[in-house]
Amino acid sequence: MSKGEEATCPPHLGDFESLQEIIQKAQGALSKEKWDSLVGGAETETTLKRNRLAIDSIAFKPRVLRNVSVVDLSIEHFGRRLRLPIFLAPTGPLNLFGPGGGAAVASGAQVFGVAHMLSSGCTPLESVAEAAPSALRMAQLYVRGDDASVHKYVGRALASGCAAICLTVDSAVLARRDRDIANRHRTAGLGKWPGQAYQAGLDWRTVKLIKDSYDIPLVLKGIATVEDARIAVDHGVYVSNHGGRQLDHGRGTMDVLPEIIDAVGGQAKVMVDGGFCRGTDIIKALAIGANLVGLGRMQCYSLAAGGEAAIIRMLELIEDEMLRSMALLGVPTIGDLDRSYLYPAVPVTIPSALSAFPLIN
């Protein structure tokens, strides 16, 4: 999808003129318990903050006198043309944040033209397929049962038209999340998940089981080291630390992304999430070499702020930010991005889940 200068001023501005307005609306709509759970992380929230710190520690090196009268942000993934190189990342109980849950989010992704990945802890696959039959949909799986349950879930995903299976590999146990504990919220981490022993026992055997049994792309979510990335090169590599909500004191995903990209060496597609919420964030990850960038909390804010319509509006605003930034960088297409446009820098903000939005208190 090519866009000229007129595309930087979307014809349908809607009620929200900025991403910050969407987040402010969401904060007013959610209870304290839900809001804290959404913006919080594990224990000291160090990993969460390092996600933003890693993004903010990269500056741009713009080039001038480049023809950017047309900027094309589209890419091809899993044989489909996507309007933007992003996907709405798997997020557990989306119904906590707005009516329709995962079905509303997937429908918004379909209308706009980006990919969607559904958490197995969210809206049923079949309901999402009905709501967004033509969307590029991927199914994420927490292993909560034996091999038969894994086969059943993958079978359902295939029957529902999913383009890929994503196996989460970084969640052997549920981390302690102090905000939730203080609020006595449902995800406090004081108990156990149903079937947690199966997730704790997950190893490369299950990866091989899925890979050997089905002709569908398999993505491993939670890769955070070069060592694991090298083992995972026969699959899709999804660099993630659960948005800072699992292992505390981990590295930011943008900190580890360059070395994982280099280790994979083009042998596998690389997806990434972790603190991404502005158009410039996405451009930085793409310049490093990521193929798709996931938005997690942003879809929750949008769902709470106005359901499917706000999801679409959020994506419009992300697109607008990316179009303007690409033009100012002197880069006409995603394929032209590389690390020559990036430079290490000292962050100017204190990192948090909301530090990319300075007008929010």
Side-chain angles (χ1 to χ4, degrees), residues 229-296:
R230 286 176 177 149
I231 302 172
V233 292
D234 291 335
H235 318 286
V237 174
Y238 187 160
V239 181
S240 176
N241 55 32
H242 233 89
R245 297 166 65 81
Q246 280 297 97
L247 179 66
D248 197 18
H249 292 278
R251 298 170 66 187
T253 54
M254 280 286 274
D255 186 29
V256 72
L257 181 63
E259 60 194 55
I260 288 182
I261 294 284
D262 294 343
V264 169
Q267 298 178 71
K269 296 290 187 182
V270 177
M271 306 164 75
V272 65
D273 69 17
F276 297 94
C277 49
R278 304 298 297 251
T280 46
D281 301 343
I282 296 164
I283 290 171
K284 290 176 184 180
L286 297 170
I288 288 173
N291 298 105
L292 277 182
V293 181
L295 302 180

Side-chain angles (χ1 to χ4, degrees), residues 307-357:
E308 179 182 338
I311 293 286
I312 297 168
R313 183 60 185 146
M314 177 269 290
L315 292 168
E316 289 178 347
L317 291 167
I318 290 283
E319 180 182 53
D320 188 44
E321 290 187 349
M322 291 184 67
L323 284 168
R324 295 173 189 270
S325 297
M326 290 279 284
L328 293 171
L329 274 173
V331 184
T333 72
I334 298 300
D336 294 318
L337 278 172
D338 59 37
R339 298 181 195 182
S340 69
Y341 293 95
L342 307 179
Y343 194 81
V346 177
V348 299
T349 57
I350 298 172
S352 73
L354 298 171
S355 59
F357 304 99

Side-chain angles (χ1 to χ4, degrees), residues 69-190:
S69 56
V70 174
V71 174
D72 185 4
L73 299 177
S74 66
I75 58 124
E76 186 172 307
H77 201 77
F78 293 129
R80 297 278 298 277
R81 202 70 187 171
L82 300 175
R83 183 166 163 180
L84 296 177
I86 69 173
F87 67 103
L88 301 183
T91 304
L94 284 169
N95 59 295
L96 290 177
F97 304 108
V105 173
S107 181
Q110 174 180 272
V111 171
F112 185 85
V114 296
H116 175 262
M117 184 179 287
L118 180 72
S119 168
S120 60
C122 191
T123 311
L125 285 163
E126 295 78 9
S127 299
V128 172
E130 182 178 356
S134 63
L136 174 55
R137 289 174 286 105
M138 299 170 277
Q140 176 270 346
L141 172 63
Y142 289 110
V143 177
R144 303 286 175 76
D146 58 14
D147 289 353
S149 72
V150 172
H151 284 299
K152 182 178 180 180
Y153 188 80
V154 176
R156 289 173 57 206
L158 287 168
S160 298
C162 291
I165 297 295
C166 174
L167 186 64
T168 291
V169 297
D170 68 346
S171 300
V173 297
L174 179 65
R176 292 178 65 89
R177 298 169 187 171
D178 283 5
R179 294 190 194 224
D180 289 342
I181 293 170
N183 291 325
R184 298 300 189 264
H185 193 50
R186 60 179 297 279
T187 56
L190 299 176

Side-chain angles (χ1 to χ4, degrees), residues 3-19:
K3 291 183 175 287
E5 175 62 28
E6 72 280 2
T8 63
C9 299
H12 305 295
L13 292 176
D15 294 331
F16 300 111
E17 297 283 359
S18 71
L19 294 172

Side-chain angles (χ1 to χ4, degrees), residues 35-83:
W35 177 256
D36 280 355
S37 183
L38 177 53
V39 301
E43 299 179 12
T44 68
E45 300 186 346
T46 296
T47 305
L48 182 154
K49 294 172 184 175
R50 283 180 177 158
N51 277 340
R52 279 308 314 176
L53 184 66
I55 294 170
D56 294 339
S57 296
I58 300 172
F60 284 127
K61 293 169 56 181
R63 301 297 303 274
V64 297
L65 296 175
R66 306 284 186 88
N67 185 345
V68 288
S69 56
V70 174
V71 174
D72 185 4
L73 299 177
S74 66
I75 58 124
E76 186 172 307
H77 201 77
F78 293 129
R80 297 278 298 277
R81 202 70 187 171
L82 300 175
R83 183 166 163 180

